[in-house]
Amino acid sequence: MMRLFKGLMIPGCVLGLWQWLVMIQYVKSESLSYPSAIAAAAIGVIQDGTLLVAAAQTFSGAFSGWLVGATLGIVVGIAFGLSQTLSRLMKITVETVRPIPSVALIPLALLIYGYGVLLETSVVAFSCFWPLLIVTESAVRGIEPRLIEVSRMLNFNLFDRVIKIILPAALPRIFVGMRLAAAVALVVSVTVEITANPMGLGYALIVAQESMRADRMFAFIGWIGLIGWSLNTALLNIQYRWFGKMGFWEEQV
Amino acid sequence: MNATTHNPLLFVESLSFKVNDLEILRDINLSIDDKEFVCIVGASGCGKTTLLRMMAGLLSPTRGHVSYCGQQVVRPHREIAVVFQDYAKALLPWRTVAGNVSLALEGCSVPAAERPQRIHELLCKVGLEDRAEAFPVQLSGGMQQRLQIARCLAQSPQLLLMDEPFGALDAMTRQTLQDEVTRLCRDSGVTVVFITHDLEEAIYLGDRVISMEKMPGKIGETLVIDLPRPRDQLTTRENTKFLAYRHQLFKLLPSGH
């Protein structure tokens, strides 16, 4: 409780000062709203249902893209981690495709999928694929060689080896990659909505901007921040719950 | 089988191993009989572990070959199990004690319905039945090594290769485990190749002790240990024969082993 109070003290003062400066009419601006109006707008977007719809759209785009991109990244990452040859063969391809900013793919994805969830999913998937590929490949490379020997002594086939030894052994590190990719997914999906896709929180921001509603813009920005924060907190909790118990397994992270 | 056509369980024939130009093992010849307990002693770095890995089929020799039941060992065999020295690394930290034993049963395609019963039996054998739901990290070193032994036994091996299994344990735990392993191996009729750098441990456990020389690793002398079984930590170790073997073996190995 005390920590929460301390943490909120400075931002609270800033908001108070902001509100006060507007009230004494020291600041007058079309683009700068003020805290009480923003708070009212933040509640307003809940009441008229805009927030829920927009958040659901953004979330579905971000989540599906994250799921697709991360899964593909893990699968390819395991293959690269297991086969040095494959990894070396693909190295130049990976190094040239990876630096392409995901946002640069929006026009192409728009051409292929048109407006809608698929547009967002594909661009988000592209951006989530790379971190998972890299993290998974290095996690698989870093697996305790003794565990690989144990699986060899038990004559496991490739599938069993991956499912029973490699994937669980690499999972703590893969999960960290998934957590980082989730933050990227939110950023990219909102970007896609601002630049192209007429849906979700990003589009709601544009609508607020075009109708000169600075208070609603700030409200949506606030909500996006809150969603990002709760997503990360939730994933951190899952990480501790799943991997915290098993002692030194966690140390590999 | 008659006396003239003697079939060893494991046969190592003129085996050599080189890494680039470095000679690790030179012309190793060994034959291990069914139900025998053979200890291999040697200074660290003499290639004991390398030799064991080749017996397990985890590593291919540069020259010569290893054969098990008359068949050449080119990859790990289901009837051969290895107990590694670093038990903490060999156990799956995300699986419970029972789950770790289950891994070997899964590897041997034991039906899921039979596994709980088998796991319980195996854990009883090594005295871990109360810790079935614990994770390896919650166990002491001795318990972790017991768990690894239980997992190896789950494979129902004919040949158990043990690579300094008690090297990292304290003296008390080591003595307890020496007796347990002897009992377990007698009961299940498994043949053991036991690698150690502890001379007394080798004499105490073995039917036969083979010494290895260093740089490059080769077979030195073989001692047949004629001590009565079951052996006892106190009386066996005080036996004059035991001390004579110790004396003999001590002289065979270079000083500072």
Side-chain angles (χ1 to χ4, degrees), chain A residues 144 146-147 149-150 152-156 164-165 168-169 245-249, chain B residues 53 58 76 78 80 82 84 86 89-90 92 94 103-104 106-107 137 151 155:
Chain A
E144 172 57 49
R146 192 63 83 219
L147 287 179
E149 285 186 346
V150 167
R152 283 181 63 196
M153 286 313 295
L154 290 169
N155 283 301
F156 280 148
K164 292 182 183 188
I165 308 275
K245 250 191 289 184
M246 292 151 197
F248 74 106
W249 191 31
Chain B
R53 286 165 58 84
L58 287 171
R78 186 152 295 175
I80 304 176
V82 178
F84 295 102
D86 39 6
K89 289 181 181 169
L92 275 51
W94 59 88
L103 183 81
E106 291 158 28
V137 73
R151 189 174 67 189
Q155 241 177 291

Side-chain angles (χ1 to χ4, degrees), chain B residues 146-188:
Chain B
R146 280 197 188 124
L147 173 56
Q148 201 196 168
I149 293 168
R151 189 174 67 189
C152 286
L153 293 178
Q155 241 177 291
S156 321
Q158 291 301 304
L159 176 64
L160 193 58
L161 304 171
M162 304 183 92
D163 183 11
E164 295 194 35
F166 311 142
L169 299 171
D170 63 273
M172 295 284 281
T173 313
R174 188 185 303 193
Q175 292 194 349
T176 318
L177 276 175
Q178 284 168 354
D179 291 334
E180 279 186 27
V181 161
T182 313
R183 181 176 50 78
L184 284 171
C185 295
R186 291 282 133 175
D187 290 352
S188 50

Side-chain angles (χ1 to χ4, degrees), chain A residues 14 28 58 79-80 82 85 130 194 211:
Chain A
V14 172
K28 273 188 212 160
T58 301
F80 281 15
L82 289 177
T85 322
W130 303 106
I194 289 177
S211 52

Side-chain angles (χ1 to χ4, degrees), chain B residues 54-227:
Chain B
M54 283 189 258
M55 290 175 175
L58 287 171
L59 200 64
S60 303
T62 314
R63 259 190 306 119
H65 66 266
V66 177
S67 51
Y68 170 77
C69 290
Q71 281 184 317
Q72 196 173 334
V73 175
V74 285
R75 66 176 68 86
H77 193 287
R78 186 152 295 175
E79 290 175 6
I80 304 176
V82 178
V83 177
F84 295 102
Q85 178 183 7
D86 39 6
Y87 41 79
K89 289 181 181 169
L91 297 171
L92 275 51
W94 59 88
R95 285 199 182 207
T96 58
V97 166
N100 266 282
V101 177
S102 173
L103 183 81
L105 298 176
E106 291 158 28
C108 300
S109 322
V110 174
E114 290 174 26
R115 282 181 216 150
Q117 177 62 25
R118 288 281 302 275
I119 291 168
H120 183 72
E121 285 167 15
L122 286 157
L123 290 181
C124 286
K125 275 190 189 171
V126 297
L128 282 175
E129 67 276 18
D130 295 335
R131 306 302 303 274
E133 294 313 310
F135 284 97
V137 73
Q138 297 167 313
L139 304 179
S140 68
M143 286 171 158
Q144 290 186 12
Q145 191 58 291
R146 280 197 188 124
L147 173 56
Q148 201 196 168
I149 293 168
R151 189 174 67 189
C152 286
L153 293 178
Q155 241 177 291
S156 321
Q158 291 301 304
L159 176 64
L160 193 58
L161 304 171
M162 304 183 92
D163 183 11
E164 295 194 35
F166 311 142
L169 299 171
D170 63 273
M172 295 284 281
T173 313
R174 188 185 303 193
Q175 292 194 349
T176 318
L177 276 175
Q178 284 168 354
D179 291 334
E180 279 186 27
V181 161
T182 313
R183 181 176 50 78
L184 284 171
C185 295
R186 291 282 133 175
D187 290 352
S188 50
V190 65
T191 308
V192 183
V193 175
F194 190 103
I195 284 181
T196 177
H197 55 248
D198 181 343
L199 303 184
E200 294 189 24
E201 182 172 69
I203 301 164
Y204 182 75
L205 293 171
D207 296 322
R208 201 149 52 105
V209 176
I210 295 166
S211 72
M212 268 182 84
E213 288 166 20
K214 198 174 169 176
M215 298 286 186
K218 36 183 197 284
I219 298 295
E221 302 288 324
T222 300
L223 244 68
V224 176
I225 307 295
D226 181 24
L227 288 168

